[in-house]
Amino acid sequence: MILPVNATFTWENNITVGYEEVQWIYTETYDEANSIIYKDYVDVSVGNRDGFINAWEVLKTDVNTRSALQNSIIEQMDVIVNGSSENIVLTDVNSRMSPELLGPVMQAEVITNIYTTNYRVLYPFLEAGDSNICFIGEKNTPIVINMPKGISVNSTEGIDNVSVSNNGQVVKVAGSFDSTGKATVHFHLEEAEDIVASVPEVTEEGLSGEGRILGDEPYHDFSLAGRIFPSLRICNPDSA
């Protein structure tokens, strides 16, 4: 079978900002047709090219994916506070590979992989007054940013079809990354002392390394999935 050049996917971003931590959850989904391309890549790149994905090959894909994602973020931090990533530390990278990866390569399945990155935010962060936080992600993909209570959103940049809601506990900013892939929330905090961390305690051993401090330097202008799987030429259909 001759496979298409690109595998397309849908990509969703759910980010939770706490007083000392940030958690970013990526949900990557391949439909049935594109899952064959993805599974063929796994079989060729980490498997034995026998047309079947076994548990060991899924495990190797998991390890390689987490390593590639970690290295990509260490090379260039994707969370920026007040114009700098100097006080952001990547603490761990996790992934949950879709069980539908198992089985024959040519068996079409809907594949959903979930990647989670956790960051420790060092002082100063969420001080009373005006601040901003920026996220660099996959352009033209949905994004939800959950900000802690006490925050009022002044404005946003780089988010299309943006909406802001407040249920008293979480301020939710929703929309899509625009064509730049760089979303910024400008906000005001009344009192930092009343804010509590709103992401789970990080318990796994950190995978941290010193990321490059990002100010006005150019940032990645190609897909995160493309950085994780550079040989596959995976692309988001809206960002190609």
Side-chain angles (χ1 to χ4, degrees):
M1 177 177 180
I2 299 176
L3 299 174
V5 173
N6 292 333
T8 57
F9 63 96
T10 60
W11 190 276
E12 298 177 359
N13 309 269
N14 192 300
I15 301 169
T16 300
V17 178
Y19 182 67
E20 297 177 338
E21 298 166 328
V22 174
Q23 183 180 76
W24 191 331
I25 299 175
Y26 309 86
T27 302
E28 175 191 55
T29 303
Y30 298 88
D31 63 19
E32 293 183 346
N34 288 288
S35 71
I36 295 176
I37 306 172
Y38 177 74
K39 290 197 292 184
D40 181 69
Y41 170 78
V42 171
D43 187 39
V44 170
S45 63
V46 303
N48 57 7
R49 306 188 182 195
D50 64 350
F52 189 91
I53 307 297
N54 59 37
W56 176 242
E57 291 165 344
V58 173
L59 177 60
K60 287 195 290 184
T61 302
D62 183 11
V63 171
N64 291 349
T65 299
R66 285 188 287 114
S67 177
L69 180 54
Q70 176 198 353
N71 291 337
S72 175
I73 295 172
I74 289 175
E75 177 188 348
Q76 184 170 320
M77 182 60 68
D78 53 358
V79 178
I80 307 164
V81 175
N82 294 328
S84 173
S85 58
E86 182 176 8
N87 293 307
I88 310 295
V89 178
L90 177 68
T91 56
D92 65 67
V93 176
N94 294 301
S95 62
R96 188 172 70 197
M97 308 305 292
S98 178
E100 283 73 24
L101 266 174
L102 289 166
V105 167
M106 301 310 297
Q107 179 175 313
E109 302 275 4
V110 176
I111 293 176
T112 300
N113 298 324
I114 298 175
Y115 311 104
T116 303
T117 55
N118 288 293
Y119 308 80
R120 180 71 66 181
V121 183
L122 307 178
Y123 179 86
F125 181 66
L126 290 188
E127 295 181 310
D130 292 329
S131 296
N132 65 77
I133 187 167
C134 175
F135 305 97
I136 298 174
E138 182 75 23
K139 60 185 179 180
N140 302 323
T141 60
I143 181 174
V144 173
I145 304 170
N146 302 291
M147 304 288 290
K149 65 179 182 179
I151 292 292
S152 58
V153 175
N154 296 330
S155 63
T156 64
E157 298 175 53
I159 305 176
D160 289 336
N161 301 315
V162 65
S163 66
V164 179
S165 60
N166 187 344
N167 66 4
Q169 294 297 318
V170 175
V171 178
K172 184 169 76 172
V173 180
S176 296
F177 279 106
D178 70 7
S179 59
T180 68
K182 187 175 183 180
T184 304
V185 178
H186 299 270
F187 61 90
H188 180 83
L189 177 64
E190 294 296 336
E191 293 293 339
E193 61 186 10
D194 295 329
I195 307 301
V196 295
S198 50
V199 296
E201 182 74 18
V202 176
T203 57
E204 295 194 8
E205 182 178 354
L207 299 175
S208 60
E210 293 190 4
R212 181 152 53 96
I213 297 174
L214 181 63
D216 296 326
E217 302 174 52
Y219 55 91
H220 289 300
D221 193 27
F222 48 95
S223 73
L224 178 60
R227 305 202 304 271
I228 297 172
F229 303 110
S231 300
L232 183 57
R233 297 177 63 187
I234 295 175
C235 68
N236 181 310
D238 294 325
S239 63

